[in-house]
Amino acid sequence: MNTEIIGRYIDVDGHRLFMDTAGDPSGRPMICLHTAGKHALQWRFVLPYFAERGYFVVAPDLPGHGKSLLKDYVPIDSIHVYAELVWKLCGQIGLKRPVIMGCSIGGDIALDIAAHHSADIHAAIPCEAAARTPTYPLAALERGLEDSGVPSFADQSYIGGIAASGTRALPERVAEIAWTRRLGDPRVHYNDLKGWIGHDVRHLLAGIACPVAVVWGNEDYYLPYELIKETVDGIPNATLIEMQGIGHYPHIETPEFNALVERFLASIA
Amino acid sequence: MLDIEQLAARLNEHPDFMSSGKYFDGAIQLEIGNDRIWIKVFMGRVILATRQPPPFGYTFCIKGPLEHWRFAMAGKKNRLHEAVVTGRLKVEGNTIEYARISRAVYGLSEVMHAMAQADGQALGDLT
């Protein structure tokens, strides 16, 4: 099985999008969605693992992130807008009944897709995400929307990456999280966070028909357990995968993540 | 009580503090419960650390009750950033400057954390 990660481009709704892909295109499709302001590189430990197990894995850079261009250069500040764009991408590249996985805002996007298209997806795996995520301080967010309000953005992001990783995260993975957080445009990052705090799909949870696994690191200080519990309790067929000593980046912090997700997918096969 | 002479000496050897603070001329105040420490920083070096803050104030201050400093410093992991993000500790004054020298503040937190780990009494009531 070829597990090499291969990049390609596609135009969706006027955005020129980059995506990493791995695996046989005839395999079961899986979409992986990155965190605020970041890019598909975050999934480099996940793509080969699932490609080797028969999945066709696609990790796009959302518009304005990584190597994806943004239509009209106006950053997107809505989780639902991202979700519908990702859903359109799935259609354009012919992904039938995909597994939708994402972390942080990517997890919120996965939940939004599940909330609106659950009959047409195999499963959703939101990581460090919830039905609502009003957890970022508004004053910091407003400052971040202006470049002059966030001096030393790269340093701030770097330190935030170290702080948001759990105590059981592998040190070399924490170093990678911190380094990759240095990259990107703060305006895009903070518009993503605007989407994060505005996201709320609680009224749609009861209608989610597909299996959902919510992955939560118990050291993620961006997401209190109460919001996770509210989400899991609200979805008819939901499972909580709790990871002790893990923070906001479970898919990068530890290789254990892949096996836990694989076990969930095997349980619903 | 935090040994402020040792704190200053260690900051003046910390690469992140020296590098990020290289383009800074100001004062950082720490308010650890009732303990007040005023640290004058000029171009990446501490030139004075005192418990008698001058009347002209500080550039920014990191403050909070002892229990929250204990949360930030007494455990195995340095949780100062987390304590600020979650509102346990407050940053007052010029928060743009606080953000601009983020890595120097991180260096400060690393030194304080290391001192707390090495000596349970280093931060006084924190332990």
Side-chain angles (χ1 to χ4, degrees), chain B residues 75-86:
Chain B
K76 230 178 162 185
K77 183 180 177 184
N78 169 9
R79 294 191 184 274
L80 183 100
H81 185 84
E82 178 178 346
V84 170
V85 169
T86 55

Side-chain angles (χ1 to χ4, degrees), chain A residues 95-161:
Chain A
L95 303 185
K96 303 282 188 211
R97 296 189 61 75
V99 173
I100 311 278
M101 180 155 65
C103 186
S104 190
I105 68 147
D108 278 3
I109 295 167
L111 257 181
D112 189 287
I113 293 173
H116 291 92
H117 304 284
S118 66
D120 298 315
I121 66 177
H122 183 62
I125 307 173
C127 312
E128 313 311 324
R132 62 186 170 110
T133 47
T135 68
Y136 197 83
L138 194 59
L141 176 72
E142 283 170 356
R143 260 173 56 173
L145 294 171
E146 275 302 327
D147 216 31
S148 58
V150 281
S152 305
F153 175 73
D155 274 354
Q156 290 186 55
S157 299
Y158 173 84
I159 292 157

Side-chain angles (χ1 to χ4, degrees), chain B residues 42-57:
Chain B
F42 179 68
M43 294 184 77
R45 290 191 62 81
V46 175
I47 56 174
L48 178 66
T50 175
R51 284 195 159 84
Q52 294 176 316
F56 44 82

Side-chain angles (χ1 to χ4, degrees), chain B residues 50-106:
Chain B
T50 175
R51 284 195 159 84
Q52 294 176 316
F56 44 82
Y58 47 75
T59 308
F60 60 85
C61 171
I62 307 171
K63 64 189 289 187
L66 278 173
E67 62 180 290
H68 292 160
W69 279 98
R70 187 180 297 122
F71 166 84
M73 292 290 145
K76 230 178 162 185
K77 183 180 177 184
N78 169 9
R79 294 191 184 274
L80 183 100
H81 185 84
E82 178 178 346
V84 170
V85 169
T86 55
R88 289 178 173 93
L89 298 179
K90 305 280 182 210
V91 179
E92 290 182 353
N94 188 338
T95 55
I96 292 287
E97 282 297 88
Y98 167 81
R100 196 173 67 79
I101 62 163
S102 294
R103 213 151 40 79
V105 174
Y106 177 67

Side-chain angles (χ1 to χ4, degrees), chain A residues 87-254:
Chain A
W87 190 241
K88 196 168 275 188
L89 165 69
C90 290
Q92 275 187 229
I93 59 176
L95 303 185
K96 303 282 188 211
R97 296 189 61 75
V99 173
I100 311 278
M101 180 155 65
C103 186
S104 190
I105 68 147
D108 278 3
I109 295 167
L111 257 181
D112 189 287
I113 293 173
H116 291 92
H117 304 284
S118 66
D120 298 315
I121 66 177
H122 183 62
I125 307 173
C127 312
E128 313 311 324
R132 62 186 170 110
T133 47
T135 68
Y136 197 83
L138 194 59
L141 176 72
E142 283 170 356
R143 260 173 56 173
L145 294 171
E146 275 302 327
D147 216 31
S148 58
V150 281
S152 305
F153 175 73
D155 274 354
Q156 290 186 55
S157 299
Y158 173 84
I159 292 157
I162 295 171
S165 299
T167 49
R168 263 195 343 107
L170 297 179
E172 65 271 23
R173 299 281 183 98
V174 177
E176 181 164 324
I177 291 165
W179 170 255
T180 54
R181 275 178 56 106
R182 296 188 73 91
L183 314 172
D185 180 347
R187 214 158 52 97
V188 170
H189 176 86
Y190 284 98
N191 273 285
D192 285 351
L193 293 180
K194 202 171 168 186
W196 167 263
I197 65 170
H199 161 78
D200 188 348
V201 292
R202 280 177 293 173
H203 59 295
L204 298 172
L205 294 183
I208 295 179
C210 66
V212 175
V214 178
V215 178
W216 180 63
N218 76 332
E219 293 188 8
D220 183 358
Y221 56 79
Y222 285 114
L223 266 183
Y225 175 70
E226 293 69 33
L227 294 180
I228 298 293
K229 185 173 181 337
E230 174 184 77
T231 305
V232 173
D233 288 349
I235 300 171
N237 186 6
T239 307
L240 170 62
I241 301 176
E242 182 173 341
M243 299 180 72
Q244 298 290 322
I246 296 300
H248 196 61
Y249 300 92
H251 57 310
I252 314 175
E253 291 178 40
T254 171

